[in-house]
Amino acid sequence: MRVRLNFLSPVILGGRKTATNYIESIDYIQGNVLRAALAKYIINNCREFDENEIVNVNGENRRNWVYYRDREGCQNCRLKKLCKKFSSLKFSYFYPEGVHILPLTAMVCKLDESHGYIDLLTHKRECPKCGKDGRVEAATGYIKDNKKYNVKKMFLTKTEIDNYTRTSKDGNLYSVVAVSETSDNKNCFTGYIYGLDEEDLENIEELRVGKYISVGYGKCTIEPIHEEDKDREDILQQLENFNNKYKSLSLNNADKESNYFAIKLTADAMLDISIDSTEYLTTEGYIKLWQDVLKIDEKYKIHKMYCETFNFRGFDLSKVGTDIREEPVVMMEKGSVILFKTSEPLSNVLDYFENLEGLGKENENGFGDFVFYFGGVTQ
């Protein structure tokens, strides 16, 4: 189900600290952040919850764990149904309403961004308005109504409170930059929660998402968005159009007997990868490595990749003990584009990739989500 989060207060969504006294919110909501917000809502309304309870989950001890306890207080609980299905829910990334992620194949005119965007896979590397004399450069971020998009943020400086005196702590100012608006007088994010229904949403009065929720940040309501299912024939036609357009460009040197298609990551992909930096790999070696890491059937060969990776290490507040850090992982950045080559018909391509939950690990929290990409930049 597609849903909308209507924020009633600014929201701080973590991100990478550039300094110890400066925190700037990122402009999207990861699936695990929304899962944590929903878990906190259930726990705060649970009559049978014990903050000292430790639960064994898959051989590991956990605290603050959401599961159906089947006790007296559970029988007439309005969140009983939601509690039972919580572990099976799948959360996507949430983005400002109406925006698209610019693919890493997107380029824009160096002289004037208003000239529009082109895509490396389906266009020549020249500005559509300036022609051959118009140089283009890589474009990243978001796009809305064919224009570059940014959320509005507010800058606040606060002082730390001394836990002993309950007064301002000398020399401990810090600044936060929160997302205040995604459009005029609105702060809305949309995404998917698979497994929820409208009855579940009616029982969720209010969520608190992100950081500093105890002082008023991240307060939001949640509502369903009704949308029609995508028509299979339309998707197949778009795949065919992309295939023909890619092969028609002489600079691609495409094999006329093969089919080409592309996917775009709509969320960061958490990869199970370990690379020996001392080993030299050829281009073919790297492609083979990525084919194995992404666990894609050999019938669909990776032809080209346009991607960025970064290292990530988060925290798991359900862990028992003093070390709540997660293991560091390699992430493939959202917006990355992978071009495939195959001898299979495009109908088989559609069937195979529609059955994939995602790429990499933790697909249940939205990591590794992707869509077919047709070279239109905003898709």
Side-chain angles (χ1 to χ4, degrees):
M1 171 182 283
R2 191 175 184 215
V3 299
R4 178 186 294 111
L5 301 178
N6 297 305
F7 281 91
L8 309 176
S9 63
V11 57
I12 302 174
L13 299 165
R16 305 171 197 170
K17 280 189 177 181
T18 54
T20 56
N21 63 338
Y22 180 82
I23 301 171
E24 181 173 2
S25 174
I26 55 179
D27 48 14
Y28 59 93
I29 305 172
Q30 293 175 318
N32 56 345
V33 171
L34 191 56
R35 182 185 290 276
L38 186 55
K40 188 174 184 66
Y41 179 79
I42 294 173
I43 286 174
N44 286 345
N45 288 276
C46 179
R47 300 175 187 175
E48 299 293 342
F49 174 68
D50 178 3
E51 63 179 11
N52 296 316
E53 180 185 23
I54 295 177
V55 182
N56 187 275
V57 181
N58 298 326
E60 295 186 12
N61 290 332
R62 300 286 185 176
R63 64 171 74 250
N64 303 323
W65 200 258
V66 176
Y67 70 98
Y68 183 61
R69 289 162 171 81
D70 197 16
R71 299 173 187 162
E72 183 179 351
C74 302
Q75 304 310 311
N76 296 315
C77 177
R78 62 185 174 84
L79 298 176
K80 175 180 178 179
K81 180 182 172 185
L82 181 58
C83 188
K84 283 183 175 181
K85 66 167 74 171
F86 180 79
S87 61
S88 64
L89 296 178
K90 182 181 186 298
F91 296 78
S92 76
Y93 272 36
F94 278 63
Y95 293 99
E97 188 170 19
V99 308
H100 299 273
I101 304 168
L102 276 170
L104 294 187
T105 52
M107 304 195 84
V108 67
C109 180
K110 294 190 71 168
L111 297 177
D112 191 343
E113 287 191 2
S114 67
H115 287 181
Y117 295 85
I118 65 165
D119 190 275
L120 293 178
L121 299 178
T122 54
H123 296 82
K124 296 180 180 179
R125 294 194 182 193
E126 59 185 40
C127 174
K129 291 191 176 180
C130 299
K132 294 181 179 180
D133 297 326
R135 297 175 62 191
V136 290
E137 60 183 355
T140 58
Y142 300 115
I143 187 172
K144 184 177 182 180
D145 300 327
N146 210 35
K147 296 179 181 177
K148 192 73 181 289
Y149 170 86
N150 290 294
V151 299
K152 293 182 180 179
K153 295 182 178 180
M154 60 186 298
F155 186 96
L156 297 169
T157 299
K158 295 178 174 288
T159 182
E160 185 178 348
I161 302 299
D162 190 297
N163 290 330
Y164 180 72
T165 64
R166 294 296 178 184
T167 58
S168 297
K169 196 171 183 178
D170 291 340
N172 282 272
L173 288 175
Y174 67 96
S175 299
V176 296
V177 184
V179 176
S180 57
E181 288 186 6
T182 55
S183 59
D184 292 340
N185 301 315
K186 289 183 180 181
N187 198 3
C188 300
F189 288 74
T190 60
Y192 292 87
I193 305 178
Y194 300 98
L196 278 189
D197 54 38
E198 292 195 32
E199 181 183 347
D200 296 321
L201 294 184
E202 290 172 358
N203 289 320
I204 302 172
E205 297 170 350
E206 177 184 289
L207 291 178
R208 298 295 180 104
V209 180
K211 298 172 65 71
Y212 299 116
I213 57 176
S214 61
V215 291
Y217 288 97
K219 180 180 178 181
C220 72
T221 59
I222 184 170
E223 62 179 357
I225 299 176
H226 300 285
E227 61 178 5
E228 296 181 359
D229 293 335
K230 295 180 180 178
D231 184 73
R232 176 182 172 84
E233 293 304 317
D234 287 344
I235 299 175
L236 282 173
Q237 186 59 56
Q238 288 176 300
L239 285 170
E240 186 64 43
N241 291 344
F242 171 83
N243 179 45
N244 293 334
K245 194 163 187 178
Y246 180 82
K247 291 194 289 188
S248 68
L249 286 181
S250 58
L251 57 89
N252 289 330
N253 296 318
D255 177 8
K256 301 301 181 181
E257 301 302 317
S258 298
N259 287 323
Y260 294 85
F261 65 96
I263 61 173
K264 179 182 77 172
L265 290 184
T266 55
D268 302 318
M270 187 181 295
L271 306 176
D272 185 9
I273 185 173
S274 176
I275 299 179
D276 182 359
S277 60
T278 64
E279 181 184 359
Y280 172 78
L281 290 177
T282 62
T283 299
E284 292 74 18
Y286 272 114
I287 289 178
K288 176 66 167 60
L289 174 67
W290 282 113
Q291 190 92 35
D292 294 339
V293 167
L294 299 176
K295 296 179 173 61
I296 302 295
D297 193 305
E298 291 288 337
K299 292 186 293 186
Y300 310 104
K301 294 282 187 181
I302 293 177
H303 187 60
K304 292 181 181 179
M305 293 184 67
Y306 303 83
C307 67
E308 295 283 348
T309 60
F310 61 94
N311 296 329
F312 177 80
R313 188 174 196 176
F315 295 89
D316 186 348
L317 299 181
S318 70
K319 279 188 173 182
V320 177
T322 56
D323 188 1
I324 59 172
R325 296 174 299 174
E326 294 181 327
E327 291 299 317
V329 293
V330 177
M331 307 282 277
M332 185 187 294
E333 192 170 335
K334 63 185 186 302
S336 295
V337 174
I338 306 174
L339 177 68
F340 292 90
K341 175 182 178 181
T342 184
S343 58
E344 295 289 310
L346 293 175
S347 57
N348 289 3
V349 169
L350 180 57
D351 292 337
Y352 176 79
F353 280 86
E354 278 190 335
N355 287 327
L356 292 181
E357 291 290 330
L359 303 179
K361 302 188 293 184
E362 286 197 31
N363 302 141
E364 68 276 10
N365 289 324
F367 294 104
D369 279 351
F370 64 87
V371 294
F372 283 112
Y373 181 58
F374 310 118
V377 177
T378 59
Q379 295 165 335

